[in-house]
Amino acid sequence: MKALIHVTLKPGVLDPQGKAVQNALGSLGFSGVDGVRQGKFIEIDLTESDAAKARDNVEAMCKQLLANTVIEDYSIEITE
Amino acid sequence: MKALIHVTLKPGVLDPQGKAVQNALGSLGFSGVDGVRQGKFIEIDLTESDAAKARDNVEAMCKQLLANTVIEDYSIEITE
């Protein structure tokens, strides 16, 4: 199975990386950009074939390593 | 409108960051992890209200700034 994980900053947490991208887009002449937030996208190949078990496992990975749950949210999608 | 952009390394391009995550997961006792690839997830708020124009605009942003098209692929999703 494959796990697709999005890790994003919680609303309200400052995102200097996103701000830098927004400024750079402005410098390049792109107008109409109201805001930019940058997060991480992680794909994990799992040998586990049970979707529920895979999700529990990945949930634990997110809490322990992949996301800093003080300032970040994560979402998990399990696919074939 | 909002643009959701995934920037991922092309298949075959080495991903040392993903490899580091994979090793760290192993050290933490997570088994059954076959591979990890890490990419970027970018959310952009746009003032543009026409979805087709927004997509063209974001496509140009990806080519010029957000993705290194030599080694990275990108995908764009436009939502309300």
Side-chain angles (χ1 to χ4, degrees), chain A residues 11-12 14 19 22 26-27 29 31 36 44 50 52 61 63 66-67 71 78:
Chain A
L14 279 179
K19 200 73 200 162
Q22 185 173 354
S27 306
S31 56
V36 178
I44 302 184
D50 181 279
M61 291 177 194
K63 284 188 183 145
L66 304 177
I71 56 167
I78 303 286

Side-chain angles (χ1 to χ4, degrees), chain A residues 10-80:
Chain A
K10 285 183 199 277
V13 177
L14 279 179
D15 180 1
Q17 204 176 1
K19 200 73 200 162
V21 170
Q22 185 173 354
N23 292 342
L25 287 171
S27 306
L28 286 170
F30 290 104
S31 56
V33 175
D34 260 356
V36 178
R37 304 281 286 174
Q38 183 164 336
K40 287 181 281 184
F41 174 59
I42 303 165
E43 294 170 89
I44 302 184
D45 290 316
L46 300 160
T47 51
E48 179 64 63
S49 58
D50 181 279
K53 277 189 202 162
R55 179 176 291 274
D56 287 350
N57 216 5
V58 172
E59 184 98 25
M61 291 177 194
C62 285
K63 284 188 183 145
Q64 284 185 49
L65 181 75
L66 304 177
N68 175 354
T69 52
V70 177
I71 56 167
E72 291 173 328
D73 287 326
Y74 59 86
S75 70
I76 300 167
E77 194 185 327
I78 303 286
T79 64
E80 283 307 314

Side-chain angles (χ1 to χ4, degrees), chain B residues 2-80:
Chain B
K2 199 163 190 168
L4 307 180
I5 303 158
H6 288 90
V7 179
T8 51
L9 284 168
K10 285 183 197 279
V13 176
L14 278 180
D15 180 1
Q17 205 176 1
K19 200 73 200 162
V21 171
Q22 185 173 354
N23 293 341
L25 287 172
S27 306
L28 286 171
F30 290 104
S31 56
V33 175
D34 260 356
V36 178
R37 305 281 285 173
Q38 183 164 335
K40 286 180 283 186
F41 175 58
I42 303 165
E43 294 170 271
I44 302 184
D45 290 317
L46 299 160
T47 51
E48 180 65 63
S49 58
D50 181 279
K53 276 190 203 158
R55 180 175 291 273
D56 287 350
N57 216 4
V58 173
E59 184 99 27
M61 291 177 195
C62 286
K63 285 188 181 144
Q64 284 183 50
L65 180 75
L66 304 177
N68 174 355
T69 54
V70 177
I71 56 166
E72 291 173 328
D73 287 327
Y74 59 87
S75 69
I76 299 166
E77 193 185 326
I78 304 285
T79 63
E80 282 306 313

